[in-house]
Amino acid sequence: MAHAYTPGLRVSGFTTMRKTRRLPMKGDVLVQVGAPVKAEDVIARTALPGNVKTVNVANLLGLPPADVPGAMLKPAGSLVNEGEPIAQSKSLFGLMKSTARANTTGTLEHISEVTGQVTLREAAMPVEMMAYVDGNVVEVLPGEGVIVETHGALIQGIFGVGGEGVGLLSLAVSRPEDVSGPDGLGDVKGKVVVVGALADVATIRKAREKGAVAVVAGGISDHDLRQLLGVDLGVAITGSEDLGISVIVTEGFGKLPIAKRTFDLLGKLSGQKVSVNGATQIRAGVLRPEIVVPRPSSGEHEKPDAFGGGLTEGMIVRVIREPYFGQLAEVVELPAQLMPLETEAKVRVLRAKLENGDVVVVPRANVEMIEE
Amino acid sequence: MSDQPLKSVLATDCGSTTTKAILIERVGDSYRLVVRGEAPTTVEAPFEDVTRGVLNAIREVEEVADRKILDGERIITPQEGNVGVDLYLSTSSAGGGLQMMVTGVVKSMTGESAERAALGAGAIVMDVIASNDGRLPYQKIQRIRALRPDMILLSGGVDGGTTRHVVELAEMLAAADPKARLGTTFQLPVIYAGNKDARDDVTKILGDKTALTVTDNIRPSMELENLMPARHVIHDLFMEHVMAQAPGYKKLMSWTPVPIMPTPAAVGMIIETIAKEQGIDVLGVDIGGATTDVFSVFGAVFNRTVSANLGMSYSISNVLAEAGVDNVLRWVPLDIDETDLRNRIKNKMIRPTTIPQTLEELMVEQAMCREALRLAMVQHAGLAVGLKGVQQTRTISDTFEQTSSGETLVDLRNLALIVGSGGVLSHAPRRQQAMLMMTDAFLPEGITEMAVDSIFMMPQLGVLSTVHAQAAGEVFEKDCLIRLGTVVAPWGEGKLGQPCFKARIGDMTREMKVGEIELVPLALGDSVKAVFEPDKNWDLGAGKGRSVERMVNGGVVGVLLDARGRRPFVLPDDRAKRVMALKRWNAAINMYPEDALVTS
């Protein structure tokens, strides 16, 4: 068997992408099938039910819970303002009054005669869903959202933080192994800026300060990530951080030059409008961060998915674990039998020629394919 | 069904990444594993049908066993000649398993009971909401809304007690109006297993808003915990609601006469069966990529915990965050820079399917494994506790943290068997690596046997044990378990180099000094009489300085004599001395290739 399936990250100059844009709960879809949309357009809208607060009327009025419904000044379903009396009790022939007041503005939802609690629900919170990419609506999911189709370049990163953004792509370095640092950023307002082999925390903060949408780099140090997030990230499920900027790394942790092919493509796309998302999820349903660049084909033909056929001899792969971490190599042999490693584990391996000409043995699990 | 002479059984376990199939046949008078097959699980896009992966795994079994089991996409039952199988059954943890939220009035009482009920049923507990958990009502409501569990277990109050608090919890649930994780159209299953006097009120509040099922109180009185009725309801609802929503499961359910069981529930069942049949205390651990499950039976009481974020790939970075760098590095017999270690661990997290190629990388992973197991065990010991107010008669281990709601049931001195499972243990290049990792993580005391699950078939055997205990038991002993051997570890105090204990195992004798470990070969299947004579400050179960005579069992590794001490087990603080000690221990049991131990 000369094939093996080893998925890699997609780095494609031209491809077709479909983005499902779904509301967190049912709402109104504002566009129709066939409609052209811009990334910033609102395509669906809903209102999340408001927060809930409780008022312990029985305690406040010194009543048994069963008497609370009788003490209410307003029925369930009424609108109330914060501070407004909602229940009252009378004692000493009606001379002494105790009052319970609303602790928020909202709707009086429930009156309990078992616990004596009254539930108030605040106003609904509007949620708007943007198109995220320039493209066309190809399907409407009734009441839920749409699917937007776009054509153009796609660069997947290995890890990211922060959510979606839209901006112009800009390169702050001229070589993939360079590092811009905070002083080499230039004018990055509204931009997605490529900072080279390392995004350190000072550079990310400076970029945020200058109004950048996102930072793209080959690697990030775990130490810097901890400083940026304020916590030690335990599980790679990201995207909801409120950082004011997104970060996308293409190679991994540490100072790692951006793969040449990726860097060359980024260079070619410099100045164009891009959509980025730092969200990463490496559990069930893998989600990688991405840079999407909608653009006309300009004569490039869409290439079939290189990952369908699996590993073959002659293919270029990237080693993704020590001792050859980050190196590109050409597959020269795919032995069928299990081979022992230095650890003595017997696993499926491949023989690969590194860029320096050395031919080495690498577990097949430790390489990823580079899309040609 | 167990009386029927089954000829063959096909069982699958649909894991989150791989679907594993095993074929068991009756060979002569006993049941044996014949072949196994596996294929990627197909719950997610582009397939979105779990049966595709199941059929692929079965086709691999067909190929290797060279027999026909499928007729197109149908499993042929019963077996006719060499075609088909007599029984098909399955377990599942695909799609993230069973995720639950539980409630109780008092966190350390009904809250803990509810947590134990859900965990015992094979669930991951996302949160425990309790009246006294310190959060304000609106914070609890927000939390309930933010979670999207598969189902909720609502408990609280003892029968005959006040109903107010548990009704308050029901009102909170109603106000939050929680949605189910899978599917947007069906109602969220809620199980009410609290004070029976509040059933009417709870039904009035939640009956229309949720798919409510009422069952017996999990805590009918302070002194009594009654988890089984709630566990059964959880299993039923798992089938009816959760599984039925997952892609392809309706079809899969129609293939098997036995309900599909959550994977951890099935593993728990086989652990319970071993403990019951052999009358011993057992500890089982399954360390996966994302989670670590710990199962135990101490004094006939079964407990299970799942540490949702302790694992060897997806959650490996969380192991580092929770254990701390120093705790990990203390097991690495190398000088490693902290920044380098942190970046390596993060790179494993984002590329979870990679494997260690160098010995150095293997040593780091095995250090991480020890800490993941240790932390999972601490969590387990915290939940496997007696009920508050009930007198514990057992010797209590103080190795683990005690909880305010009762003392831990975990008693390492009575523990007879530890069974390890999961790639890092089952596929460790040398079996002694698995044995030492578990020894270092759990620090067993006295005389304890150790085994690993060869190919992780405990789930399939667990569900099989519900319908054919004999077949499950035989395959478990003969094909599933790989017996590593026995660990002998006295507790006490002494200075390094002083006498600790003498061991006579068959015709071999050893004199162990404090701080040493040694491996005595005793082959798999061999059982010999042994006499252990601890020094006057050391104890092996019979009292300080008192000798212990008993049979010990061998295994693929042998008998590990561990005189490194317990309570405390101490590693040298000085980095250089610690690295030397680790190298000495590794060399003593031939842990790694010899040249690596010298040069690294």
PDB file of all heavy atoms in Angstrom, chain B residues 396-402 413 567:
ATOM      1  N   ILE B 396      -9.017   4.297  56.323  1.00  0.00           N
ATOM      2  CA  ILE B 396      -9.108   5.364  55.340  1.00  0.00           C
ATOM      3  C   ILE B 396      -7.714   5.797  54.909  1.00  0.00           C
ATOM      4  O   ILE B 396      -6.864   6.112  55.717  1.00  0.00           O
ATOM      5  CB  ILE B 396      -9.865   6.561  55.920  1.00  0.00           C
ATOM      6  CG1 ILE B 396     -11.267   6.140  56.331  1.00  0.00           C
ATOM      7  CG2 ILE B 396      -9.903   7.719  54.944  1.00  0.00           C
ATOM      8  CD1 ILE B 396     -12.118   5.591  55.217  1.00  0.00           C
ATOM      9  N   SER B 397      -7.541   5.821  53.591  1.00  0.00           N
ATOM     10  CA  SER B 397      -6.259   6.304  53.083  1.00  0.00           C
ATOM     11  C   SER B 397      -6.228   7.822  53.166  1.00  0.00           C
ATOM     12  O   SER B 397      -7.166   8.487  52.772  1.00  0.00           O
ATOM     13  CB  SER B 397      -6.106   5.882  51.617  1.00  0.00           C
ATOM     14  OG  SER B 397      -5.205   6.714  50.991  1.00  0.00           O
ATOM     15  N   ASP B 398      -5.179   8.361  53.684  1.00  0.00           N
ATOM     16  CA  ASP B 398      -5.110   9.822  53.713  1.00  0.00           C
ATOM     17  C   ASP B 398      -4.191  10.367  52.624  1.00  0.00           C
ATOM     18  O   ASP B 398      -3.765  11.500  52.642  1.00  0.00           O
ATOM     19  CB  ASP B 398      -4.682  10.341  55.091  1.00  0.00           C
ATOM     20  CG  ASP B 398      -3.347   9.756  55.525  1.00  0.00           C
ATOM     21  OD1 ASP B 398      -2.693   9.120  54.680  1.00  0.00           O
ATOM     22  OD2 ASP B 398      -2.969   9.942  56.690  1.00  0.00           O
ATOM     23  N   THR B 399      -3.907   9.501  51.643  1.00  0.00           N
ATOM     24  CA  THR B 399      -3.098   9.972  50.526  1.00  0.00           C
ATOM     25  C   THR B 399      -3.861  11.031  49.749  1.00  0.00           C
ATOM     26  O   THR B 399      -3.298  11.954  49.205  1.00  0.00           O
ATOM     27  CB  THR B 399      -2.801   8.801  49.565  1.00  0.00           C
ATOM     28  OG1 THR B 399      -2.239   7.755  50.327  1.00  0.00           O
ATOM     29  CG2 THR B 399      -1.852   9.222  48.467  1.00  0.00           C
ATOM     30  N   PHE B 400      -5.177  10.848  49.696  1.00  0.00           N
ATOM     31  CA  PHE B 400      -5.978  11.730  48.864  1.00  0.00           C
ATOM     32  C   PHE B 400      -6.742  12.717  49.714  1.00  0.00           C
ATOM     33  O   PHE B 400      -6.945  12.516  50.897  1.00  0.00           O
ATOM     34  CB  PHE B 400      -6.926  10.895  48.018  1.00  0.00           C
ATOM     35  CG  PHE B 400      -6.178   9.961  47.129  1.00  0.00           C
ATOM     36  CD1 PHE B 400      -6.116   8.617  47.416  1.00  0.00           C
ATOM     37  CD2 PHE B 400      -5.467  10.462  46.055  1.00  0.00           C
ATOM     38  CE1 PHE B 400      -5.378   7.776  46.626  1.00  0.00           C
ATOM     39  CE2 PHE B 400      -4.728   9.623  45.262  1.00  0.00           C
ATOM     40  CZ  PHE B 400      -4.685   8.280  45.542  1.00  0.00           C
ATOM     41  N   GLU B 401      -7.180  13.771  49.049  1.00  0.00           N
ATOM     42  CA  GLU B 401      -7.900  14.799  49.772  1.00  0.00           C
ATOM     43  C   GLU B 401      -9.205  14.244  50.335  1.00  0.00           C
ATOM     44  O   GLU B 401      -9.898  13.486  49.704  1.00  0.00           O
ATOM     45  CB  GLU B 401      -8.241  15.938  48.803  1.00  0.00           C
ATOM     46  CG  GLU B 401      -7.029  16.734  48.402  1.00  0.00           C
ATOM     47  CD  GLU B 401      -7.343  17.691  47.274  1.00  0.00           C
ATOM     48  OE1 GLU B 401      -8.516  17.978  47.034  1.00  0.00           O
ATOM     49  OE2 GLU B 401      -6.381  18.133  46.651  1.00  0.00           O
ATOM     50  N   GLN B 402      -9.514  14.653  51.504  1.00  0.00           N
ATOM     51  CA  GLN B 402     -10.777  14.262  52.111  1.00  0.00           C
ATOM     52  C   GLN B 402     -11.813  15.318  51.743  1.00  0.00           C
ATOM     53  O   GLN B 402     -11.486  16.460  51.487  1.00  0.00           O
ATOM     54  CB  GLN B 402     -10.626  14.224  53.631  1.00  0.00           C
ATOM     55  CG  GLN B 402      -9.478  13.377  54.106  1.00  0.00           C
ATOM     56  CD  GLN B 402      -9.766  11.908  53.979  1.00  0.00           C
ATOM     57  OE1 GLN B 402     -10.752  11.430  54.500  1.00  0.00           O
ATOM     58  NE2 GLN B 402      -8.927  11.194  53.266  1.00  0.00           N
ATOM     59  N   ARG B 413      -4.684   0.253  50.418  1.00  0.00           N
ATOM     60  CA  ARG B 413      -4.106  -0.932  51.068  1.00  0.00           C
ATOM     61  C   ARG B 413      -4.928  -2.191  50.835  1.00  0.00           C
ATOM     62  O   ARG B 413      -4.430  -3.298  50.946  1.00  0.00           O
ATOM     63  CB  ARG B 413      -3.944  -0.670  52.561  1.00  0.00           C
ATOM     64  CG  ARG B 413      -2.924   0.419  52.787  1.00  0.00           C
ATOM     65  CD  ARG B 413      -2.816   0.812  54.217  1.00  0.00           C
ATOM     66  NE  ARG B 413      -1.924   1.958  54.320  1.00  0.00           N
ATOM     67  CZ  ARG B 413      -1.676   2.619  55.416  1.00  0.00           C
ATOM     68  NH1 ARG B 413      -2.256   2.247  56.548  1.00  0.00           N
ATOM     69  NH2 ARG B 413      -0.869   3.630  55.416  1.00  0.00           N
ATOM     70  N   ARG B 567       3.678   7.858  51.704  1.00  0.00           N
ATOM     71  CA  ARG B 567       3.219   8.740  52.798  1.00  0.00           C
ATOM     72  C   ARG B 567       4.345   9.262  53.666  1.00  0.00           C
ATOM     73  O   ARG B 567       4.396   8.911  54.844  1.00  0.00           O
ATOM     74  CB  ARG B 567       2.222   8.004  53.678  1.00  0.00           C
ATOM     75  CG  ARG B 567       1.103   7.405  52.923  1.00  0.00           C
ATOM     76  CD  ARG B 567       0.104   6.999  53.915  1.00  0.00           C
ATOM     77  NE  ARG B 567      -0.829   6.088  53.309  1.00  0.00           N
ATOM     78  CZ  ARG B 567      -1.970   5.782  53.868  1.00  0.00           C
ATOM     79  NH1 ARG B 567      -2.292   6.288  55.023  1.00  0.00           N
ATOM     80  NH2 ARG B 567      -2.788   4.948  53.283  1.00  0.00           N
TER      81      ARG B 567
END
